[in-house]
Amino acid sequence: MIIKIILLVVFFAGMVAVGISARKHALSVSGFVLGGRSVGPWLTAFAYGTSYFSAVVFVGYAGQFGWKYGLASTWIGLGNAILGSLLAWVVLGRRTRIMSQHLSSATMPEFFEKRFDSKALKITASIIIFIFLIPYTASIYNGLSRLFEMAFHIPYAVCVAVMAVFTAVYVILGGYMATAISDFIQGIIMLVGIVLVVLAVLNGQGGFLEAVGSLAQIPSETAPTMGQPGAYASFFGPDPVNLLGVVILTSLGTWGLPQMIQKFYAIRNEKAVRTGTVISTIFAVIVSGGCYFLGGFGRLFDDPSLYDASGAVVYDSIIPFMLSKLPDILIGVVVVLVLSASMSTLSSLVLTSSSTLTLDLIKDNLWKNMSEKKQVLMMRVLIAVFIAISVVLALDPPAFIAQLMGISWGALAGAFLAPFLYGIYWKGVTKAAVWASFACGVGLTVSNMYFHFIDSPINAGAAAMLLGLVVVPAVSLVTPKMKKSRLAEIFSCYQEKTTIHQKMVVGTEKDNED
């Protein structure tokens, strides 16, 4: 217990120190929200990865989908690395960085306003972000607090409060730069921690081959492979169709999440984007792949304590129960690992929400002539407000971790992914198409919460994203286009002329070429 407490004290002290040291970068709006657009590739890549993977993945998703799909759940982690990291950086990174600077947009709602000449789009997008980031934040508290209860026997409410306070301190003090530096530190902890945990768990089961052999003996409980042994150790698992839905939601979803896209706004330059692509992908392979691979062995730890009174599996308890069998020192490492993952994601969420509300809703709409100093102050206040609201929701969460995250990602990515992706590549996207995407993403997710026409919120979120990718071009083809002159000005950032100074101006053409 002493070792675990020491690890936590050192961790929290380090995060507060980072917040204090980063205060000088958080004096202006650009500094507080984007780190002055000067963040290097390593910090940006780690910020992207740590914002991507939190207790939601480690405790909620790894536990639930590892139980459902066995070792095939590792495909989710690989999908996160290839589709959610590699392709996201390749397709979105450079063009987002260039156009966001060209349009002077610091947030995703502000991008929609300036790209499509619509203030109403900006206001609506900011409201969607604020509402649907709250359940995601609550899911992070939920997952982390279950591990704290297992390791320290501390009440759930106390765990939530402590995490919220320390996150608020370093984000309010240092803004984006504090989150980027702390994300780098937390990312290193995550990389080392997940490798140690996987090795320790497999060693406790007699090694990799022994663990896989034991898993292969368990008969499937899922259609269409009901009753078949070996399904949980197979290549695609017992239910490949629903597994694909999870891969789409958790991988493609990052393309439309404002807290993820904002990382591209802040990166230093195009060269940094290329370097960051490689780093982010490797990080995702190790962390996400490791989490889901670990969760794939969950059924080897089947125990009566994992079931509720009705006999249903409490998915959020699977990973904590697996880890409870580890030595105390490793439990301490795990707690710091998941704490790192969760606080990095939480800091990204609250910064995104507060900056969006301040810059896109309050400024110029509710508060005219708002000075830069007051904007930064308002963002700091709203960080505290956002954390307080999410704490209240986390104390009495309405669903499992995975369901909370599915609702949040489904609405946000369903609304924003298609218009943002098409918007940085295609001049033909119309304002009406953006409104249609907002309506489809939020409408499908919310209506499914009440009518359940799609069984899983995860699959509903995936459907919302795919629907947007069809709706936006379809509506754009039949609705009024923006003025060609305005479109030419917006997309001119990708075709800027460069002047090259010629050293030799006298002589033959061949001489000049040499």
Side-chain angles (χ1 to χ4, degrees):
M1 183 62 72
I2 292 175
I3 293 174
K4 288 185 282 190
I5 292 175
I6 290 173
L7 286 172
L8 283 180
V9 170
V10 170
F11 176 81
F12 282 129
M15 293 305 99
V16 173
V18 166
I20 294 172
S21 66
R23 288 181 65 186
K24 62 180 180 292
H25 297 284
L27 301 178
S28 66
V29 170
S30 176
F32 192 85
V33 178
L34 299 174
R37 295 186 190 266
S38 62
V39 185
W42 282 88
L43 290 183
T44 302
F46 271 67
Y48 186 92
T50 54
S51 297
Y52 196 164
F53 311 116
S54 65
V56 177
V57 172
F58 190 79
V59 178
Y61 273 26
Q64 176 171 342
F65 300 124
W67 186 273
K68 286 185 174 182
Y69 308 125
L71 288 183
S73 63
T74 308
W75 283 110
I76 305 172
L78 296 179
N80 292 169
I82 296 170
L83 183 58
S85 292
L86 176 62
L87 287 181
W89 278 74
V90 170
V91 175
L92 301 177
R94 174 181 175 273
R95 295 184 76 88
T96 297
R97 175 64 178 84
I98 293 173
M99 185 175 281
S100 65
Q101 182 173 15
H102 178 65
L103 297 178
S104 299
S105 60
T107 65
M108 185 176 278
E110 193 172 19
F111 169 85
F112 285 129
E113 177 196 28
K114 295 182 177 180
R115 168 63 180 85
F116 300 103
D117 290 334
S118 173
K119 195 169 186 177
L121 280 177
K122 178 177 78 168
I123 294 173
T124 304
S126 66
I127 294 172
I128 292 172
I129 289 171
F130 181 74
I131 291 174
F132 287 98
L133 281 185
I134 292 176
Y136 187 13
T137 308
S139 67
I140 294 171
Y141 287 120
N142 194 355
L144 180 67
S145 298
R146 290 181 184 275
L147 275 181
F148 264 77
E149 283 185 301
M150 177 272 291
F152 298 98
H153 307 294
I154 299 174
Y156 175 77
V158 175
C159 298
V160 170
V162 170
M163 179 183 169
V165 168
F166 276 99
T167 303
V169 167
Y170 80 80
V171 180
I172 289 173
L173 285 175
Y176 184 85
M177 189 59 75
T179 66
I181 296 172
S182 62
D183 287 350
F184 182 73
I185 298 170
Q186 292 161 353
I188 293 173
I189 295 172
M190 290 167 65
L191 287 172
V192 175
I194 191 63
V195 172
L196 292 177
V197 170
V198 170
L199 292 176
V201 169
L202 290 180
N203 185 61
Q205 294 295 316
F208 172 70
L209 294 178
E210 184 70 25
V212 172
S214 300
L215 193 64
Q217 303 303 313
I218 301 174
S220 171
E221 298 178 358
T222 308
T225 58
M226 183 77 72
Q228 294 180 14
Y232 296 117
S234 64
F235 197 67
F236 289 119
D239 189 5
V241 174
N242 280 311
L243 175 63
L244 178 62
V246 179
V247 172
I248 292 173
L249 175 75
T250 61
S251 302
L252 192 60
T254 60
W255 295 40
L257 296 178
Q259 74 272 18
M260 304 299 294
I261 296 299
Q262 199 161 346
K263 303 298 186 291
F264 300 135
Y265 285 38
I267 199 165
R268 184 180 297 148
N269 51 40
E270 291 183 52
K271 182 180 179 182
V273 171
R274 292 192 293 272
T275 306
T277 301
V278 178
I279 300 168
S280 178
T281 304
I282 295 172
F283 183 91
V285 168
I286 297 173
V287 174
S288 186
C291 286
Y292 287 108
F293 178 73
L294 175 67
F297 293 98
R299 285 184 179 269
L300 298 182
F301 295 82
D302 198 355
D303 187 85
S305 63
L306 298 179
Y307 298 83
D308 60 19
S310 66
V313 179
V314 181
Y315 294 119
D316 302 343
S317 299
I318 295 171
I319 296 295
F321 182 79
M322 292 173 65
L323 302 178
S324 68
K325 307 300 181 183
L326 297 178
D328 281 349
I329 183 65
L330 276 180
I331 291 179
V333 171
V334 168
V335 170
V336 175
L337 182 164
V338 182
L339 185 64
S340 299
S342 300
M343 289 184 67
S344 59
T345 304
L346 180 62
S347 63
S348 178
L349 295 178
V350 298
L351 185 60
T352 299
S353 182
S354 66
S355 60
T356 293
L357 277 184
T358 301
L359 302 178
D360 303 322
L361 187 61
I362 296 175
K363 179 190 173 187
D364 297 332
N365 296 307
L366 304 178
W367 190 336
K368 302 293 184 181
N369 302 319
M370 193 178 188
S371 67
E372 189 165 21
K373 185 176 180 180
K374 289 179 179 177
Q375 290 174 47
V376 173
L377 177 61
M378 178 59 69
M379 283 188 279
R380 288 183 161 129
V381 171
L382 287 175
I383 286 172
V385 172
F386 184 79
I387 287 179
I389 294 173
S390 59
V391 164
V392 172
L393 182 60
L395 292 176
D396 186 23
F400 287 128
I401 294 174
Q403 278 65 41
L404 284 173
M405 182 177 169
I407 292 168
S408 176
W409 279 42
L412 291 169
F416 300 146
L417 188 156
F420 186 85
L421 173 62
Y422 288 124
I424 60 175
Y425 276 94
W426 182 33
K427 295 179 181 179
V429 183
T430 65
K431 189 189 306 181
V434 181
W435 282 114
S437 182
F438 286 7
C440 288
V442 175
L444 177 59
T445 305
V446 173
S447 60
N448 191 64
M449 289 169 58
Y450 295 99
F451 301 109
H452 305 290
F453 44 84
I454 299 177
D455 291 337
S456 167
I458 310 299
N459 290 339
M465 294 177 214
L466 297 177
L467 179 62
L469 291 173
V470 175
V471 166
V472 168
V475 174
S476 295
L477 292 175
V478 296
T479 51
K481 307 293 187 292
M482 294 178 63
K483 293 181 179 179
K484 291 184 178 180
S485 58
R486 174 59 179 154
L487 288 171
E489 193 280 323
I490 291 173
F491 280 82
S492 64
C493 58
Y494 298 131
Q495 300 171 340
E496 290 186 359
K497 294 181 180 180
T498 301
T499 302
I500 300 175
H501 297 284
Q502 186 174 317
K503 292 182 180 180
M504 296 180 63
V505 295
V506 177
T508 65
E509 184 177 336
K510 180 65 169 61
D511 291 335
N512 289 338
E513 289 177 357
D514 292 340

